[in-house]
């Protein structure tokens, strides 16, 4: 290692641990100065990329970026108008783009199964599946299937959707699944005695961060399971980006941090990089700004193998995944 790259590595780690500079556009600016591994302009040519929650924010940026790299893009949204707006926005930026719109509420597991079946019929294969849809409801909400909404959106829906499209993923040469988590999960340990958040007093940011922690904790297990189909599974966090979701759910945070927030494209950069970089990085890993990151910074958040197993069994039962 040269002195220059050693210093850069230390600076990168300092940015990561000091959070505010690292997660902001400052961290992106400092790190991206050293990147020489941008995917080539046709890195996703001939590939199909499915992005959930692609009507706005990071999902729209990731879908647009994938179209720019040559992919056929499937934008999964809950509202047809938003999907058509997203398709128009992507086609304005990339006139040659092939964008398809699919309607699905990813928190509704029956709807997700139907989407999975539809995708298997409509696309020859899925090269990249990005689980980006995210929510932070102000009060506890339950899905039609009786699950707490952030759990269903961030964990159960992505597990069910991936399982439902396994044949389409397995048909790709180098399929990748990417879960979009959040740096907010660093403050949370894995909760396994109240997974659906029924017993304790609901707090929006806690529900959000707990389920983002679950995504990170489950990634190695999901990677092992889906590796049998040739799939590499990643989890990442985008830092802090200025999106409609942040404006709506965290208005005070946005007001204070606005000059520091990343653009949606900057927040989506690592999603695209994981989708397109060659060779595929090792699966089961957690990423931010194109580098694998620790999943814990303090001992108190570490889970035991028993806790992981409890969560795994619960999620498999909830999603109808047989082992
Ligand atoms: N922005 C950040 O700083 C930040 C930081 C950390 C992590 N993240 C994560 O990054 C992802 C994208 O966040 P964002 O900031 O771009 O949020 P956003 O602006 O709120 O976009 C999220 C998208 O997800 C969609 N969505 C939510 N629930 C859905 C469901 N049940 N079915 C289908 N689509 C659904 C929303 O659709 P509707 O328009 O229909 O509501 C929306 O288009 C999320 O997972 C979020 O947790 C973001």
């Amino acid at each position: 290692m040269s002195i220059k790259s050693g210093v850069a590595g230390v600076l990168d780690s300092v940015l990561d641990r000091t959070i505010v500079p690292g997660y902001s556009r400052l961290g992106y600016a400092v790190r991206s100065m050293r990147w020489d591994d941008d995917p080539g302009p046709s890195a996703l040519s001939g590939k199909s990329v499915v992005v959930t929650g692609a009507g706005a924010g990071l999902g729209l940026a990731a879908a647009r970026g994938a179209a720019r790299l040559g992919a056929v893009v499937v934008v999964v949204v809950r509202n047809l108008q938003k999907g058509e707006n997203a398709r128009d926005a992507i086609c304005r930026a990339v006139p040659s783009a092939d964008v398809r719109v699919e309607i699905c509420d990813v928190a509704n597991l029956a709807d997700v199964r139907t989407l999975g079946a539809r995708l298997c019929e409509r696309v020859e294969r899925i090269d990249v599946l990005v689980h980006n849809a995210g929510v932070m409801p102000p009060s506890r909400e339950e899905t039609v299937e009786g699950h707490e909404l952030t759990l269903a959106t961030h964990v159960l829906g992505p597990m069910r959707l991936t399982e439902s499209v396994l044949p389409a993923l397995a048909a790709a040469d180098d399929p990748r699944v990417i879960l979009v988590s959040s740096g907010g999960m660093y403050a949370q340990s894995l909760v396994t005695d109240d997974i659906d958040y029924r017993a304790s007093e609901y707090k929006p940011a806690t529900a959000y961060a707990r389920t983002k922690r679950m995504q990170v904790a489950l990634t190695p297990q999901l990677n092992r399971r889906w590796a049998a189909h040739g799939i590499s599974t990643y989890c990442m966090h985008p830092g802090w980006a200025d999106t409609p979701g942040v404006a709506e759910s965290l208005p005070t945070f946005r007001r204070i941090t606005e000059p520091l927030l990343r653009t949606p494209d900057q927040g989506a950069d690592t999603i695209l990089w994981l989708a397109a970089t060659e060779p595929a990085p090792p699966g089961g890993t957690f990423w931010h700004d194109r580098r694998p990151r620790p999943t814990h910074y303090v001992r108190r958040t570490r889970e035991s193998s028993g806790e992981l197993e409890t969560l795994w069994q619960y999620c498999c039962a909830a999603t109808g995944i047989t082992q």
Side-chain angles (χ1 to χ4, degrees):
M1 191 199 302
S2 71
I3 291 179
K4 199 172 151 201
S5 70
V7 169
V10 170
L11 179 60
D12 189 320
S13 299
V14 168
L15 282 170
D16 214 37
R17 281 149 185 79
T18 49
I19 298 184
V20 177
Y23 289 19
S24 70
R25 60 171 62 206
L26 191 71
Y28 183 86
V30 171
R31 291 177 177 133
S32 62
M33 270 189 307
R34 304 172 42 229
W35 291 340
D36 56 4
D37 57 353
D38 283 349
S42 54
L44 293 175
S45 176
K47 300 200 170 191
S48 304
V49 176
V50 177
V51 185
T52 69
L58 302 185
L60 176 57
R64 188 175 49 228
R68 211 170 260 137
L69 296 177
V72 172
V73 176
V74 181
V75 299
V76 178
V77 290
R78 328 184 240 208
N79 171 299
L80 179 60
Q81 191 56 52
K82 280 198 180 170
E84 286 176 351
N85 293 346
R87 178 168 53 200
D88 292 348
I90 295 169
C91 290
R92 272 196 305 279
V94 188
S96 61
D98 181 347
V99 184
R100 302 161 191 197
V101 178
E102 291 286 350
I103 310 298
C104 178
D105 175 351
V106 302
N108 177 325
L109 299 176
D111 207 16
V112 169
R113 279 180 191 270
T114 308
L115 171 69
R118 230 171 33 235
L119 285 174
C120 288
E121 270 173 28
R122 291 184 181 171
V123 294
E124 212 171 291
R125 54 172 197 282
I126 296 173
D127 294 275
V128 183
L129 172 56
V130 182
H131 294 297
N132 164 79
V135 278
M136 192 191 291
S139 55
R140 186 179 180 281
E141 284 182 42
E142 262 189 18
T143 66
V144 284
E145 282 126 347
H147 293 294
E148 189 278 315
L149 188 60
T150 65
L151 177 75
T153 309
H154 302 151
V155 181
L156 305 180
M159 284 177 67
R160 186 60 259 165
L161 181 55
T162 309
E163 289 282 323
S164 297
V165 298
L166 280 177
L169 284 162
D173 284 341
D174 181 16
R176 304 179 192 189
V177 171
I178 301 165
L179 291 146
V180 179
S181 183
S182 163
M185 68 88 201
Y186 277 118
Q188 286 294 323
S189 24
L190 204 61
V191 171
T192 54
D193 56 355
D194 187 20
I195 295 172
D196 260 305
Y197 218 139
R198 292 196 174 92
S200 41
E201 187 198 343
Y202 179 89
K203 294 192 181 112
T206 306
Y208 175 84
R210 278 184 184 183
T211 53
K212 293 292 179 181
R213 163 61 74 190
M214 290 177 196
Q215 292 181 312
V216 175
L218 288 170
T219 295
Q221 178 93 9
L222 293 170
N223 182 63
R224 279 193 293 279
R225 179 178 174 86
W226 295 330
H229 302 268
I231 301 164
S232 304
T233 302
Y234 309 104
C235 195
M236 58 76 67
H237 86 85
W240 295 332
D242 195 4
T243 62
V246 167
E248 192 187 320
S249 301
L250 299 168
T252 309
F253 169 81
R254 180 173 182 264
R255 206 173 48 248
I256 295 166
T257 58
E258 197 177 352
L260 290 172
L261 293 178
R262 297 175 177 213
T263 65
D265 283 330
Q266 292 170 342
D269 175 84
T270 296
I271 302 175
L272 278 172
W273 184 84
L274 284 168
T277 195
E278 292 292 349
T285 39
F286 181 55
W287 296 77
H288 173 58
D289 282 347
R290 302 190 185 187
R291 274 195 42 189
R293 303 287 169 180
T295 53
H296 298 270
Y297 283 131
V298 289
R299 193 182 303 232
R300 75 166 173 81
T301 63
R302 289 186 189 279
E303 61 270 356
S304 67
S305 55
E307 286 168 330
L308 245 185
E309 184 59 19
T310 301
L311 177 65
W312 175 248
Q313 295 296 343
Y314 189 95
C315 294
C316 286
T319 52
I321 292 176
T322 48
Q323 298 169 66

